[in-house]
Amino acid sequence: MTDVVGASATGSGLARRRLRRLLRGTALAMGVLTLGAVGGGWALYDRLSDNITADEAAAAELARYERERPTALVRGAQNILVIGSDTRTGDGNRRYGRDSGTERSDTTILLHLAAGRRTATAVSLPRDLMVHVPGCLRRDGRRSAPSFMMFNSAFSVGGSACTVRTVEKLTHLRIDHYAVVDFSGFKDVVDAVGGVQVCLPQPIDDKAAKLRLPAGRVTLDGERALGYVRARKSLGDGSDTDRMDRQQRFLGALVDKVQSGGVLLNPAKLYPLLVAATSALTTDPELASLRGLYQLVRGLRDIPTEYVQFLTVPREPYVYDSDRDQLVAGRADALFALLRADRPVKVGEQGGGSGGKPGTSPTPAFRGNTAAEDSCE
């Protein structure tokens, strides 16, 4: 097993969790096959595959720079870049702001799947992180000059390909797949699972996010969930770091809901989820089919929720602007090296991943949490 703070299991508890994982994995396979075999199912299968938008332009741009891209070091390990787009265009997105003709990556998560699918580690990359963005192909067909700018500007400048190349240069990790999800798609996924329960330590009254919630356990529908994960200045300490932690906890709760909420066992619930999920995605061509997605996630059924880890890349205020971020060089380098080598990443509340000198341990701890955590307990 991996080296994660607070994760242990013995005896009958471990056996029960293994049984549940087996049932969930079997249920997912049966659900997909059922949708593909009955009631005109192959037509439904094709429809689901057609829902996914293949980003051919980004694939061509990445192929242009293939020689400079990192090489994967560990066979079987995979890195997926998940980009939350803040586009205001398209159905259901205009209410979130004026369309200026551009879009930025409001949320970006680097998901590392260990070889053998022992663990899944999701690393949030702050949108305000100052990084070197390479020259990229703009949407108007011109090429930008290399620049030092905020990380989320890479998506605005050159879309998925520019963001992938920026992350690869920053981490020296090969990005195997990428997926872009917009506001409307996120809401539809949450609604498709019947909402997601979160624990709020205090009431929320955020006029900008149009969000008013009581303290305690609350089930969020898609609209309120979007407000919850995007709100910033009125929640917590108002920092982007606090917001990323909230996003991580919400995604953990969503993972737990899909695994344990009877979704995979019930085709009536599974199909709306698949429709919502596939309609929300723009991906690399290899991933842009139901078969491609299934091959990616089928190994995840054996990962216990306590081994699905969330953390934020070690960062600190940018030396020239406290409203921006920069990497804590030693600790960030240590994290990226662990991921490149597919070695265990130790996550815990006292990880100290937001600053300080790199530890002397060969596997230093990083501040974060797991999908199994519940702040109400």
Side-chain angles (χ1 to χ4, degrees):
M1 278 295 179
T2 189
D3 185 9
V4 181
V5 171
S8 63
T10 58
S12 60
L14 178 59
R16 285 194 298 271
R17 278 192 284 276
R18 285 175 174 169
L19 177 59
R20 285 199 298 270
R21 295 198 296 273
L22 177 61
L23 291 173
R24 291 169 190 164
T26 303
L28 176 59
M30 290 179 61
V32 172
L33 291 175
T34 298
L35 289 172
V38 300
W42 292 120
L44 296 179
Y45 181 95
D46 287 341
R47 175 189 169 188
L48 291 171
S49 289
D50 290 344
N51 282 347
I52 306 170
T53 301
D55 196 342
E56 300 286 355
E61 178 72 354
L62 290 173
R64 175 189 178 100
Y65 292 96
E66 179 60 35
R67 289 187 177 182
E68 71 178 40
R69 297 182 65 194
T71 300
L73 300 181
V74 179
R75 183 179 180 87
Q78 285 194 317
N79 298 301
I80 298 93
L81 197 65
V82 182
I83 304 167
S85 167
D86 71 350
T87 179
R88 268 60 172 183
T89 60
D91 294 340
N93 287 335
R94 291 186 179 88
R95 73 180 67 181
Y96 303 109
R98 182 175 59 86
D99 175 24
S100 62
T102 63
E103 55 182 327
R104 295 192 178 187
S105 49
D106 194 63
T107 300
T108 303
I109 295 175
L110 173 60
L111 176 62
H112 176 78
L113 305 179
R117 300 303 179 259
R118 306 179 308 276
T119 63
T121 302
V123 181
S124 294
L125 300 174
R127 66 177 189 172
D128 295 339
L129 188 68
M130 298 302 294
V131 297
H132 293 279
V133 176
C136 296
L137 180 65
R138 294 181 178 273
R139 290 173 173 82
D140 62 7
R142 295 181 298 173
R143 290 197 171 271
S144 65
S147 302
F148 186 67
M149 61 178 72
M150 286 170 52
F151 171 66
N152 70 339
S153 297
F155 192 70
S156 177
V157 169
S160 303
C162 194
T163 301
V164 168
R165 291 180 60 218
T166 299
V167 171
E168 289 185 338
K169 288 181 177 295
L170 183 71
T171 66
H172 302 293
L173 284 158
R174 173 79 178 205
I175 301 301
D176 301 289
H177 297 290
Y178 52 90
V180 181
V181 185
D182 70 11
F183 287 168
S184 182
F186 173 84
K187 293 189 304 178
D188 290 344
V189 169
V190 174
D191 286 334
V193 300
V196 174
Q197 187 180 86
V198 298
C199 179
L200 305 179
Q202 57 190 25
I204 295 175
D205 189 359
D206 188 311
K207 293 182 180 179
K210 301 179 181 179
L211 192 64
R212 191 171 185 177
L213 301 169
R217 294 188 184 278
V218 180
T219 298
L220 303 180
D221 61 12
E223 187 72 31
R224 295 194 299 174
L226 181 60
Y228 176 71
V229 300
R230 295 197 70 242
R232 178 176 178 177
K233 295 183 179 179
S234 65
L235 297 184
D237 61 9
S239 69
D240 199 41
T241 299
D242 186 78
R243 181 174 69 165
M244 286 185 292
D245 182 70
R246 190 165 62 250
Q247 291 171 347
Q248 293 165 6
R249 291 186 181 278
F250 182 86
L251 290 175
L254 176 59
V255 169
D256 189 63
K257 178 65 178 286
V258 171
Q259 287 191 335
S260 62
V263 176
L264 302 181
L265 289 168
N266 187 341
K269 293 182 178 180
L270 177 61
Y271 181 65
L273 174 60
L274 292 175
V275 170
T278 54
S279 299
L281 293 176
T282 298
T283 74
D284 59 277
E286 186 179 348
L287 204 59
S289 70
L290 195 60
R291 183 182 186 86
L293 287 175
Y294 176 67
Q295 289 178 341
L296 174 66
V297 304
R298 65 180 179 179
L300 301 182
R301 64 180 181 262
D302 293 325
I303 303 178
T305 53
E306 61 263 35
Y307 289 98
V308 179
Q309 309 168 113
F310 296 89
L311 65 147
T312 299
V313 66
R315 41 71 57 200
E316 62 188 1
Y318 179 46
V319 64
Y320 297 114
D321 186 347
S322 60
D323 290 331
R324 302 289 180 259
D325 293 326
Q326 65 183 26
L327 293 180
V328 179
R331 294 194 60 80
D333 291 343
L335 173 62
F336 299 149
L338 289 173
L339 296 177
R340 283 195 300 272
D342 198 32
R343 293 178 57 195
V345 174
K346 190 174 184 179
V347 172
E349 287 294 332
Q350 304 302 319
S354 294
K357 296 180 180 180
T360 58
S361 168
T363 55
F366 298 89
R367 184 178 300 278
N369 53 77
T370 72
E373 291 180 358
D374 188 335
S375 58
C376 276
E377 298 177 351

